Amino acid sequence: MKIEIKNLEHLNQTLNDYDINPNNWGNGDTRTLKELYKEIVDGETELTEVDGELIRTVTVVGIVVTCNDFKLKEDRQEFTDGRIRHRDLSVSCAEKLIKGETPKQAAVRCIKEELGIEIHERELTPHVSHSNKDLSSSYPGLKCIYHRNPFDYEMKMEYFKPEGYQEFQENKTTYFIWQ
């Protein structure tokens, strides 16, 4: 059953109703309650109750970006509050789908937002989608179902920057490097 979240206070109460304590979120590698609320408002995340458990459902794209013999990887995220997060991702970049968006549209948006490169959907090579259920590392205590849509993208040499790429967001900068 989908749970409609009315506001930030309602989200906090809903988490507490399922014995999930968000008070320590926003430390280390975790995200804040406000960030979860924004994901819900933006249509990137949905909360449901399944067999008495609160579940966060997210559909994501992951793109392996290559250029010649190089593979792009996320090096780190530096937050404005001084935290630095290193993630060992199997993909170069990833993005949550927005409600109504197809995986290919999300992958094109991901490349544009994270690397500053505009591509066409036909430049992406899709792979078999899959799902898994796991505890969320971003929101401790909250179980999550991830619907994953993997793609490959072979970058044209004209877009290749040997020094890598940076994505600037309001609360963090993400750094991408070539391996």
Side-chain angles (χ1 to χ4, degrees):
M1 170 180 75
K2 182 178 176 180
I3 298 174
E4 296 293 337
I5 300 298
K6 298 175 184 83
N7 53 44
L8 188 60
E9 294 76 26
H10 182 235
L11 174 58
N12 191 41
Q13 183 58 53
T14 300
L15 292 167
N16 285 313
D17 290 347
Y18 289 90
D19 295 321
I20 299 168
N21 183 353
N23 291 338
N24 290 325
W25 292 1
N27 297 310
D29 289 348
T30 67
R31 293 183 171 207
T32 66
L33 181 67
K34 286 182 181 177
E35 287 174 303
L36 177 59
Y37 181 67
K38 183 177 182 331
E39 286 182 15
I40 294 167
V41 169
D42 290 348
E44 296 177 338
T45 290
E46 190 173 276
L47 294 180
T48 56
E49 181 182 325
V50 179
D51 299 327
E53 289 185 305
L54 185 64
I55 305 290
R56 170 182 172 240
T57 302
V58 182
T59 302
V60 297
V61 295
I63 305 131
V64 174
V65 178
T66 55
C67 188
N68 290 335
D69 293 331
F70 296 103
K71 177 183 173 186
L72 194 66
K73 74 171 264 201
E74 179 184 296
D75 183 52
R76 69 191 182 283
Q77 294 178 322
E78 294 183 2
F79 292 83
T80 54
D81 64 8
R83 290 180 295 137
I84 297 176
R85 178 165 75 167
H86 294 275
R87 301 185 297 178
D88 189 23
L89 302 176
S90 60
V91 295
S92 304
C93 54
E95 192 68 60
K96 294 181 231 36
L97 270 71
I98 297 170
K99 190 173 187 143
E101 190 174 44
T102 68
K104 278 191 172 182
Q105 289 169 333
V108 167
R109 179 174 55 83
C110 179
I111 297 289
K112 182 177 180 181
E113 288 178 3
E114 298 194 8
L115 307 180
I117 299 168
E118 294 202 32
I119 67 168
H120 191 277
E121 289 180 9
R122 70 177 169 270
E123 296 178 73
L124 297 164
T125 303
H127 294 281
V128 176
S129 299
H130 59 281
S131 298
N132 67 302
K133 184 177 178 182
D134 204 353
L135 281 174
S136 172
S137 59
S138 296
Y139 305 107
L142 184 57
K143 291 186 179 171
C144 190
I145 295 174
Y146 297 95
H147 298 293
R148 300 182 188 279
N149 298 276
F151 292 92
D152 287 339
Y153 167 61
E154 177 66 31
M155 183 183 287
K156 297 175 185 173
M157 276 304 295
E158 65 190 86
Y159 300 131
F160 181 78
K161 293 182 182 178
E163 70 277 12
Y165 304 83
Q166 296 176 8
E167 177 193 18
F168 301 99
Q169 292 177 294
E170 182 180 328
N171 66 334
K172 71 180 178 227
T173 301
T174 304
Y175 295 86
F176 301 91
I177 60 170
W178 292 104
Q179 291 185 312

